[in-house]
Amino acid sequence: MFSNQSGSRRWTHFHSALQLAIQRSAHKWTFEDFAECFPLYVEEDKNGASATFNAISDYIEAQNFRDLEKLFKDYNVQENIDILHKVVNDGKDRAASGNIGKDVWQDNLDPTVTVAARTIPVLAAEAEKLRQMIATYEQENRSLQEALNSKVKETERANQQGMEVLNKLDEVFAKWEQLPREDMEELMVQTLETLRPPPPM
């Protein structure tokens, strides 16, 4: 059986009608239908056949209830029917009191205008959010571009200084190459001879 949780009158009526429909469908086939399908079984053991028939009918009924309970739970059927019940009752109360609010549908309203009146403010708010996001990204991009330009300038300065050092090294090496090697070697030998300690006496 369904677990009939307390809910709106609309839910209770829906629930009861569905329960009655399941019971009727589960017991729609009669014992005579069962006997036509299993004549030997019914003839040999009428009481056992009757018990089997009732057990099968009860199982079908219980299985249908279980399946529907799962559907009710998966799709929040009771909650949605209760919401529908409240909306209908609120509408009836407003109509009875003559209090027609601005959100209530009227025959003289153009659907396009009504939809636009609802959606345009929402779209405008979303567009403003997008504009703010774009402005933020543009500011971040400018900051990144400035940092990148600064790094490029620093790299260019470092490259220029490196080239200047290499040019100086080239000049020094060229002058070194121009020095007289033989005179330098002779000077080195003389210097070594001068620095060598005298032999012990």
Side-chain angles (χ1 to χ4, degrees), residues 153-200:
K153 288 177 182 175
E154 289 177 9
T155 304
E156 289 174 351
R157 277 198 299 271
N159 288 339
Q160 186 177 357
Q161 289 173 353
M163 289 301 296
E164 290 172 359
V165 170
L166 288 174
N167 289 337
K168 287 180 182 177
L169 286 174
D170 287 341
E171 290 175 11
V172 169
F173 183 74
K175 289 179 180 178
W176 173 263
E177 288 289 315
Q178 294 172 2
L179 292 175
R181 300 274 176 94
E182 293 177 0
D183 292 347
M184 288 175 59
E185 288 176 0
E186 188 177 331
L187 180 63
M188 284 177 64
V189 169
Q190 288 176 0
T191 303
L192 287 173
E193 289 291 333
T194 306
L195 295 174
R196 183 179 296 166

Side-chain angles (χ1 to χ4, degrees), residues 39-170:
L40 292 176
Y41 177 46
V42 172
E43 187 178 328
E44 290 176 4
D45 184 7
K46 188 168 184 177
N47 289 336
S50 178
T52 302
F53 166 74
N54 289 331
I56 292 171
S57 296
D58 291 342
Y59 174 78
I60 292 171
E61 183 179 349
Q63 185 62 41
N64 286 338
F65 286 143
R66 277 194 294 273
D67 293 345
L68 282 172
E69 281 286 2
K70 184 176 185 312
L71 283 174
F72 287 169
K73 185 176 181 181
D74 290 347
Y75 293 99
N76 295 328
V77 174
Q78 180 177 351
E79 179 184 352
N80 291 328
I81 289 177
D82 288 345
I83 290 170
L84 173 65
H85 183 71
K86 183 178 185 318
V87 168
V88 170
N89 284 343
D90 289 349
K92 287 179 180 177
D93 292 344
R94 278 199 304 272
S97 67
N99 180 17
I100 305 298
K102 63 179 180 179
D103 292 336
V104 177
W105 175 256
Q106 299 174 21
D107 291 335
N108 62 345
L109 293 177
D110 179 11
T112 307
V113 174
T114 304
V115 170
R118 284 285 192 174
T119 56
I120 287 176
V122 174
L123 294 175
E126 291 300 317
E128 181 58 30
K129 286 181 188 175
L130 287 173
R131 278 193 286 273
Q132 290 175 358
M133 287 174 58
I134 290 170
T136 301
Y137 289 143
E138 286 177 347
Q139 179 61 38
E140 290 176 359
N141 285 341
R142 279 194 293 273
S143 300
L144 290 172
Q145 187 65 44
E146 289 171 3
L148 181 61
N149 291 341
S150 174
K151 292 291 182 186
V152 168
K153 288 177 182 175
E154 289 177 9
T155 304
E156 289 174 351
R157 277 198 299 271
N159 288 339
Q160 186 177 357
Q161 289 173 353
M163 289 301 296
E164 290 172 359
V165 170
L166 288 174
N167 289 337
K168 287 180 182 177
L169 286 174
D170 287 341

Side-chain angles (χ1 to χ4, degrees), residues 25-40:
S25 67
H27 296 281
K28 186 172 184 179
W29 67 317
T30 63
F31 182 73
E32 288 73 23
D33 297 328
F34 181 80
E36 285 180 18
C37 295
F38 308 99
L40 292 176

